[in-house]
Amino acid sequence: MATNLSLLTHPYTTPNGPDFDICDRRYGLNLDIPQCDVAVDRLGVGSARTDYRISDQEGPRTLPLSVEYEVAGPHLPQMYGVVPDTIASLAGNVINECVGRAGRVGGFATMDIGKLIDYVVNPSSALGYYPPSSAFLTVSVTAKSTKKPSPGDYDPIIADTLSGAARDAAMRLPASGAARRTLVQRSTTFRTRAMRMSTGGLKYPWWGTTASGDEMSGTC
């Protein structure tokens, strides 16, 4: 899997970086850097914050790979504000790390997942309902497929991340307190959900209910 990294530096980079980026061959194999460049160029540019309408409409796919952006979560806002250049930057991070360094595989990156984490680690939050304000952005680079990926909803790393955050928050609380017990239970719940989920899957979302099949993606 040795790679000449000097040939794989992508022009799009994000100054602050994504929350995290995940590379996995189940999101695509043998992806091509030049085709990734073309796909990213089609995302559009702009340095001003833009409100994207949340809809279930999917854009055209004319390449053997796809760069998708999506707002993830069980309850989505009607509009989601983000700078268009940031979407391209997140895609560039995935291209650098996954198509480049990891050996031409697909993957995804997230931004603003901290809003969801803050909600989860608050012991007084009711996890039967996640507010639209906890929705976050994912950008994925994948092989073209009839099955549209939705990693922000279905990749087990999301549930694992929430499990770890709840566990770490619990350890900072008094051992005998009810708040700590609540967060320990949440950590266990998300860890159990992660075990049911699968990378590239579309059946079990991190919030624990079987999905209805509706895929929500962002379009201008």
Side-chain angles (χ1 to χ4, degrees):
M1 198 175 289
T3 308
N4 185 348
L5 298 182
S6 65
L7 300 179
L8 298 175
T9 301
H10 197 273
Y12 297 99
T13 58
T14 178
N16 300 319
D19 300 321
F20 53 76
D21 42 45
I22 300 298
C23 304
D24 195 295
R25 59 192 296 140
R26 284 167 287 191
Y27 287 119
L29 288 169
N30 300 317
L31 301 188
D32 183 70
I33 288 281
Q35 290 178 336
C36 288
D37 291 342
V38 172
V40 171
D41 288 342
R42 293 181 179 181
L43 291 176
V45 296
S47 58
R49 183 179 176 89
T50 300
D51 285 333
Y52 286 76
R53 178 171 289 106
I54 305 302
S55 76
D56 59 2
Q57 300 302 308
E58 187 175 345
R61 293 184 174 185
T62 58
L63 296 170
L65 57 87
S66 177
V67 175
E68 303 275 357
Y69 58 93
E70 170 189 67
V71 178
H75 301 103
L76 303 178
Q78 291 184 330
M79 307 290 288
Y80 189 90
V82 65
V83 175
D85 285 351
T86 298
I87 297 175
S89 295
L90 289 171
N93 271 95
V94 177
I95 292 168
N96 283 336
E97 296 300 321
C98 302
V99 185
R101 293 180 175 86
R104 301 179 66 190
V105 301
F108 73 98
T110 74
M111 188 184 77
D112 286 343
I113 198 173
K115 297 183 297 183
L116 174 61
I117 290 173
D118 288 344
Y119 187 79
V120 166
V121 301
N122 181 348
S124 63
S125 296
L127 297 195
Y129 173 79
Y130 296 86
S133 60
S134 67
F136 61 97
L137 180 71
T138 65
V139 176
S140 56
V141 177
T142 66
K144 183 177 180 180
S145 171
T146 56
K147 183 178 70 172
K148 180 183 174 184
S150 188
D153 289 339
Y154 300 104
D155 195 287
I157 190 64
I158 304 298
D160 277 333
T161 297
L162 298 177
S163 174
R167 181 190 63 243
D168 292 344
M171 295 303 103
R172 295 191 291 268
L173 296 174
S176 60
R180 178 165 176 162
R181 290 194 296 273
T182 295
L183 292 183
V184 168
Q185 179 57 49
R186 286 183 186 178
S187 177
T188 301
T189 296
F190 283 116
R191 185 171 67 249
T192 301
R193 290 174 185 173
M195 295 172 65
R196 299 186 69 190
M197 299 164 71
S198 60
T199 298
L202 292 171
K203 189 173 183 181
Y204 296 109
W206 55 260
W207 56 87
T209 58
T210 301
S212 64
D214 294 331
E215 295 303 313
M216 306 299 285
S217 62
T219 58
C220 281

